[in-house]
């Protein structure tokens, strides 16, 4: 075992190497724009240079004279498309702003023309020669801009159902012995996955194939079919590999149906590879947020009152919000809680999911405030969390299915050396460097969605697993293969996994960290169907009791407790008895509490995730604790984060290697969200300024010299058959607060606005 492949503890699978490792490092993994097309035309986007107004006219003369140009599509000649509803209102779209529909412009960088040419270079050249005459209106850029409107999220966003409240906050806060009121800000951020927002569309008669990085092939297939007014069965989305998602590919963007429509008109495949800067405006992003936290506590640190008010920016057209109060109002024991989430509409593209959408900004506020409260109480911040730890969430009183928050704090504190910290701010230094230690809680809801799978087992043990899941870099192939191998008792090398294709059995969106729980639960169930079929063949006269169903095994004895066999079957004999060489089973799994229309919705590309605080009798979250060391140069104010240490508990860890990788990436991204990442918006023009990798800062190796991930053993039998809590979005939560808490410890300066840059340090 190595650091990258941690020794599995109880309730963990083996740290086997990635299923797709060789394909990826040898360049054989084919991404959307790598797919070979027959005589493709190349599309290049022209995007709007104003954020609000109208197009008066185009001058396309110069552009059309570029050799190889086939067509230039604008709102005057674009294919007619049906509008799609926002996903949070039951549709598929990440935005309802449909480009090329009219001369109106709703945001910076909206698609206003598509040049199609014989080569990428010709399309790009012509796009640069498109001249546009605009009538510009003054746009509202963000929170403080004139012309924005603000209203409660509840009532305008169907997925935001409640502003959680319990007890009498006002009275309890008034009477509290210790009080804190503080405001926090988080910036606009863009996901920037490595793979660009490409789309290739190829028609074969009435059948459309789309090659596009997507986190939800069933959603995209059904959404594009709706926009084109064709049968969803005519559309196939293929993406065996996705070069990063982070939420930006969870819902449909307008580009796909536009390219499909153009390809249909040309009767020729069309390939679009937008530029990096176009990705900032043709897809979604994390909008800026503002928070006010009020905490009241007794002298011994027990919370008596908590209020979290959040505001988020969205577009004029869509009431998107992340609404993280569902988490922050339930994280700690507190009898009197109040909250409110508002949406501020500005002239912006519609924001969307970005890794841990609610928790990253909302826990920044809460976990910063908890640290400030600890200072007021003269209490160790770890002890403040311990005093307010709870087995039941305070809003509805529901028990957590399992909660290892303090075990995580204890493990991470020990590994970090928290006991070496001297509590007073500015009390630790090393030469010219002020040293600060900080910590914060992290948590992420455990979510599951209805999922189907097909499993084929051959006489020689070769196994094929089919499920329309997604490999967005998380290790999906690997853990699906491990699950099938384990459940069927066949060697891992004999398992082939097919995902990333909407012709396969449906799986949910690869979002909300649900994929492992959903896909593995479905695969386990279908593997059991295969086993039962063979069991019946061998022992036709034995009635298949529930107990027997659980304990039937094949070949070698499976290693997991759940699949443990006391009556292993001989595979050859079982197939002989069956009189066949192949067993193939299809099945549909849904989590407890999933709505009645789950399976129908699953096929039509609608998400029906359950979990988190929305479970009926329980509440399910994964937890962690993060500790950071920061160093701030007294002279230059340079900020470094030499050590990030996190301990995490997320139910069954399917593969400690891929889990560690996810959590390590999360810690790095969490640090990055505190110190580096921010999309700057020009207040006058409502345009993104740093829409490129030179100016939008992301961490490099030198920024993260030390990252340590500790995986805790946790068994949770209440969540799903796989016993897994999602952890893809667990580790980048709370890190931003831990960094600011450490900066306070190093300098005595409390920073409540992200990102923190050296010019913000007054030390
Ligand atoms: Mo994640 S933001 O739910 O893809």
């Amino acid at each position: 075992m190595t650091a990258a492949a941690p020794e599995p503890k109880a309730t963990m699978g083996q740290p086997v190497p990635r299923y797709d490792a060789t394909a990826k490092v040898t360049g054989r993994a084919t991404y959307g724009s790598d797919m070979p097309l027959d005589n493709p035309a190349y599309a290049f986007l022209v995007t709007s240079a104003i954020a609000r107004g109208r197009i008066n006219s185009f001058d396309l003369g110069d552009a059309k004279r570029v050799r190889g140009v086939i067509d230039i599509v604008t709102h005057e000649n674009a294919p007619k498309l049906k509008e799609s509803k926002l996903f949070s209102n039951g549709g598929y779209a990440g935005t309802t702003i449909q480009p090329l529909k009219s001369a109106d412009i709703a945001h910076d960088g909206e698609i206003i023309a598509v040049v199609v040419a014989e080569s990428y270079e010709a399309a790009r050249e012509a796009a640069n020669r498109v001249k546009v005459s605009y009538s510009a209106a003054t746009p509202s850029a963000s929170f403080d801009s004139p012309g924005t409107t603000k209203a409660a999220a509840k009532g305008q966003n169907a997925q935001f159902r409640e502003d959680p409240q319990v007890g009498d906050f006002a009275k309890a806060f008034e009477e509290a012995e210790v009080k804190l009121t503080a405001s926090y800000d988080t910036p606009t951020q863009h996901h920037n996955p490595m793979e660009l927002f490409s789309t290739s569309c190829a028609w074969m008669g009435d059948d459309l194939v789309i090659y596009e990085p997507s986190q939800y092939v069933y959603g995209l297939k059904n959404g594009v079919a709706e926009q084109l007014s064709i049968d969803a069965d005519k559309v196939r989305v293929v993406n065996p590999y996705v070069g990063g998602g982070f939420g930006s590919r969870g819902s449909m963007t307008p580009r796909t149906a536009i390219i499909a429509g153009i390809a249909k008109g040309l009767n020729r495949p069309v390939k679009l590879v937008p530029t990096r800067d176009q990705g900032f405006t043709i897809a979604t992003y994390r909008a800026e947020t503002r928070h006010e936290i009020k905490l009241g506590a007794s002298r011994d640190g027990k919370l008596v009152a908590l209020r979290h008010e959040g505001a988020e920016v969205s577009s004029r057209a869509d009431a998107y919000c992340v609404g993280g109060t569902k988490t922050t109002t339930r994280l700690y024991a507190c009898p009197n809680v109040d909250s409110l989430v508002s949406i501020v509409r500005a002239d912006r593209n519609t924001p969307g999911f970005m890794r841990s959408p609610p928790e990253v900004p909302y826990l920044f506020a809460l976990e910063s405030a908890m640290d400030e409260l600890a200072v007021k109480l003269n209490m160790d911040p770890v002890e403040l969390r311990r005093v307010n730890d709870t087995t039941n969430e305070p809003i509805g009183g529901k028990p957590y299915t399992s909660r290892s928050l303090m075990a995580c704090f204890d493990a991470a504190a020990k590994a970090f050396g928290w006991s070496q910290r001297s509590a007073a701010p500015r009390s630790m230094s090393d030469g010219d460097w002020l040293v600060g230690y900080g910590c914060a809680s992290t948590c992420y809801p455990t979510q599951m969605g209805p999922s189907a799978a097909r499993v084929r087992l051959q006489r020689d043990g070769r196994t094929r697993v089919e499920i329309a899941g997604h490999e967005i870099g998380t290790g999906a192939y690997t853990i699906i293969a491990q699950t099938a191998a384990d459940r069927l008792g066949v060697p891992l090398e004999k398992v082939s996994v097919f995902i990333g294709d909407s012709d396969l059995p449906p799986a949910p969106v690869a979002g909300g960290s649900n994929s492992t729980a959903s896909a593995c639960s479905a695969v386990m169930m279908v593997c059991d169907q295969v086993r039962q079929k063979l069991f019946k063949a061998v022992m036709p006269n034995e009635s298949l009791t529930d107990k027997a169903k659980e304990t039937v095994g094949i070949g070698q004895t499976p290693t997991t407790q759940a699949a443990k066999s006391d009556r292993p079957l001989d595979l050859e004999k079982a197939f002989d008895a069956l009189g066949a060489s192949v067993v193939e089973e299809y099945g549909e799994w849904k989590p407890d509490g999933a709505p009645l229309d789950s399976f129908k919705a699953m096929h039509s590309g609608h998400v029906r995730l359950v979990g988190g605080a929305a479970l009926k009798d329980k509440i399910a979250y994964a937890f962690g604790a993060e500790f950071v060391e920061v160093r701030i140069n007294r002279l230059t104010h340079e900020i470094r984060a030499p050590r990030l240490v996190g301990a995490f508990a997320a139910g069954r860890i399917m593969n400690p290697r891929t889990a560690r990788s996810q959590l390590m990436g999360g810690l790095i991204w969490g640090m990055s969200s505190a110190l580096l990442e921010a999309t700057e918006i020009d207040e006058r023009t409502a345009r993104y300024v740093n829409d490129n990798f030179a100016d939008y800062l992301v961490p490099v190796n030198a920024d993260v010299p030390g990252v340590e991930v500790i995986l805790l053993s946790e068994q949770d039998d209440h969540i799903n058959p796989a016993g897994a809590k999602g952890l893809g979005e667990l580790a980048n939560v709370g890190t931003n607060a831990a960094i600011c808490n450490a900066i306070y410890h190093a300098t005595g300066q409390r920073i409540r606005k992200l990102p923190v840059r050296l010019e913000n340090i007054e030390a």
Side-chain angles (χ1 to χ4, degrees), residues 81 124 526 722:
L81 300 170
R124 181 178 57 186
V526 180

Side-chain angles (χ1 to χ4, degrees), residues 665 668-673 676-677 696-704:
I668 295 166
W669 199 348
M671 179 280 291
S672 168
S673 96
L676 302 173
E677 292 192 49
Y696 185 95
L697 303 181
V698 293
V700 298
N701 285 1
D703 291 315
V704 281

Side-chain angles (χ1 to χ4, degrees), residues 137-162:
T138 306
S140 308
S142 184
F143 282 122
D144 297 325
S145 309
T148 55
T149 58
K150 182 177 180 180
K154 198 176 153 188
Q156 51 174 335
N157 179 315
Q159 279 180 356
F160 186 88
R161 293 192 190 89
E162 60 150 348

